[in-house]
Amino acid sequence: MSAVLKRTPLAEMHVAAGARMVDFGGWDMPLAYGSQLEEHHAVRRDAGMFDVSHMLNVDVAGEQATAFLQRLVANDVAKLTVPGKALYSCMLNPQGGIIDDLIIYFFAADAWRVVVNAGTADKDVAWMRRVAAVGQFDVTITPRRDLAMVAVQGPNARAKVWAARPAWQAATESLTPFVGAQVADDTLVARTGYTGEDGFEIVLPAADVVALWNDLAAQGVRPCGLGARDTLRLEAGMNLYGQDMDELTQPDQAGLTWTVSLKDPARRFIGRDALEQTATPCAFLGLKLQERGVMRAHMAVRTPQGMGETTSGTMSPTLGVSIAFARLPLGVTPGQTVEVDIRGKWVPALVTKLPFVRHGKPVEHS
């Protein structure tokens, strides 16, 4: 028998709304509420909302919390000095492989929050506790399954959140990207997202999330499922853990070199030795298919410099062509034409920089 799927506090709302539910990382999640295409366009043109309560917020506290995080992750949390500021980082194993990609929030030197992916949450917390124990760091690591999380994304997302929760506007109106504000007890509103659009990710007590969802819907925010989330993040050039990267992938093999801070030679984060000694860089770029067809993950890519492989692929609703991420040999550059093996046929594709779409508009890279 299959394992019983976990459910978020909004699961009954999804079912009542007629959502098609699927297994995602052990969670029963909505794939779409009808038209995935309409949900995608709602986010690009107006505002959509996603239940992301399957992701886990983990509070890290204690006198040595900063030192612990500097050891745990590849980016340098010392960059964060303003309460509410966040950064994106990878948590690596000793071989430099990516255990997970995270968002880390700074509240105070002894109070932080790490947001981890759903499918890796148990593994992540176990690893964090192991690192703390081995390093004898004086920290407490508290998974917050009492919290829910909703992402509201799109050009009108912030305005519609304020219409649903007017009291939050004063604290959140001046937020810049990757900064959050505490608007109530255990309620964080952050200007982050996974779509390439403006908006908020809202973390709040699970008991309050149904009311928020209903009030956002009353303001015309469209419920969206994992299908639209995937096409949106791919257009926005954002990696998906388990598909574009995993424990066998180093950051520079997934276009994530920018998330690794080597500036301080004394900061020996886990995986640093491997990155410095055994790095295997490649070109991680985008592809636009030049003929009809749809690229998917794990398709062979033929280039003048050698063979590569797609990691994610889809039909782009915004561009009207198939797009993909690809791990390619060094020397492949944007503007080149390569070939992708689609069901035994080699189809030409244009190599591009990422992202493909920003703020609802196609990106024309110079």
Side-chain angles (χ1 to χ4, degrees):
M1 293 181 63
S2 60
V4 176
L5 296 179
K6 301 171 187 175
R7 308 187 88 203
T8 76
L10 288 167
E12 291 183 6
M13 302 284 293
H14 304 319
V15 173
R20 179 187 169 196
M21 307 295 285
V22 296
D23 179 352
F24 183 80
W27 289 80
D28 195 23
M29 298 297 293
L31 180 67
Y33 295 81
S35 170
Q36 176 180 326
L37 189 64
E38 290 177 6
E39 292 167 23
H40 179 107
H41 288 316
V43 173
R44 288 280 180 251
R45 300 167 183 171
D46 184 16
M49 58 184 172
F50 302 85
D51 178 11
V52 288
S53 304
H54 57 320
M55 298 179 70
L56 179 62
N57 286 259
V58 182
D59 286 345
V60 177
E63 290 185 4
Q64 293 185 296
T66 302
F68 166 68
L69 290 169
Q70 286 180 312
R71 171 67 176 159
L72 183 74
V73 300
N75 214 336
D76 188 356
V77 299
K79 298 174 184 178
L80 303 179
T81 57
V82 177
K85 189 80 174 86
L87 60 67
Y88 176 71
S89 183
C90 293
M91 183 166 66
L92 307 179
N93 60 28
Q95 294 74 42
I98 302 170
I99 294 174
D100 198 10
D101 63 322
L102 322 162
I103 292 180
I104 302 172
Y105 289 91
F106 168 78
F107 301 130
D110 60 354
W112 300 76
R113 176 167 290 171
V114 180
V115 184
V116 306
N117 283 305
T120 56
D122 292 343
K123 175 186 74 170
D124 289 357
V125 172
W127 177 254
M128 292 167 71
R129 287 177 170 157
R130 179 182 170 189
V131 171
V134 170
Q136 298 183 315
F137 290 101
D138 181 17
V139 294
T140 58
I141 297 167
T142 307
R144 298 295 305 274
R145 280 294 177 204
D146 58 315
L147 300 177
M149 192 169 173
V150 175
V152 190
Q153 301 281 289
N156 298 323
R158 293 198 300 152
K160 291 192 174 186
V161 169
W162 294 328
R165 291 291 182 273
W168 293 358
Q169 184 168 353
T172 61
E173 195 166 19
S174 63
L175 291 179
T176 54
F178 258 68
V179 180
Q182 297 277 1
V183 296
D185 288 344
D186 270 336
T187 303
L188 176 72
V189 179
R191 198 169 172 189
T192 53
Y194 191 53
T195 64
E197 298 299 324
D198 201 356
F200 291 134
E201 289 184 311
I202 303 165
V203 180
L204 72 171
D208 298 340
V209 72
V210 169
L212 176 65
W213 189 267
N214 284 332
D215 291 345
L216 290 169
Q219 296 299 326
V221 181
R222 183 171 185 138
C224 301
L226 294 174
R229 189 169 166 83
D230 191 54
T231 53
L232 289 159
R233 68 94 190 170
L234 225 164
E235 288 185 346
M238 296 178 178
N239 288 11
L240 175 64
Y241 189 83
Q243 190 154 314
D244 304 303
M245 54 185 165
D246 56 27
E247 292 199 30
L248 299 177
T249 310
Q250 293 185 343
D252 59 2
Q253 296 172 306
L256 296 175
T257 305
W258 62 275
T259 71
V260 178
S261 177
L262 301 173
K263 187 175 181 180
D264 179 2
R267 191 177 70 90
R268 306 310 298 182
F269 61 84
I270 295 169
R272 178 168 185 155
D273 291 347
L275 298 188
E276 291 179 333
Q277 298 167 15
T278 62
T280 54
C282 64
F284 190 82
L285 293 162
L287 300 178
K288 290 182 183 177
L289 204 62
Q290 300 296 283
E291 296 180 3
R292 293 181 62 182
V294 180
M295 294 179 286
R296 302 294 185 190
H298 309 301
M299 287 181 168
V301 182
R302 189 163 62 188
T303 85
Q305 288 79 10
M307 298 301 293
E309 183 183 43
T310 59
T311 61
S312 286
T314 192
M315 175 60 70
S316 165
T318 303
L319 302 182
V321 300
S322 180
I323 58 175
F325 300 160
R327 198 165 285 129
L328 303 169
L330 284 177
V332 177
T333 57
Q336 271 186 246
T337 298
V338 298
E339 294 177 304
V340 182
D341 183 1
I342 300 180
R343 294 186 300 277
K345 179 184 177 184
W346 291 101
V347 182
L350 178 68
V351 180
T352 72
K353 295 180 181 178
L354 298 172
F356 299 100
V357 176
R358 184 185 289 116
H359 301 309
K361 304 294 184 184
V363 177
E364 298 296 335
H365 294 287
S366 58

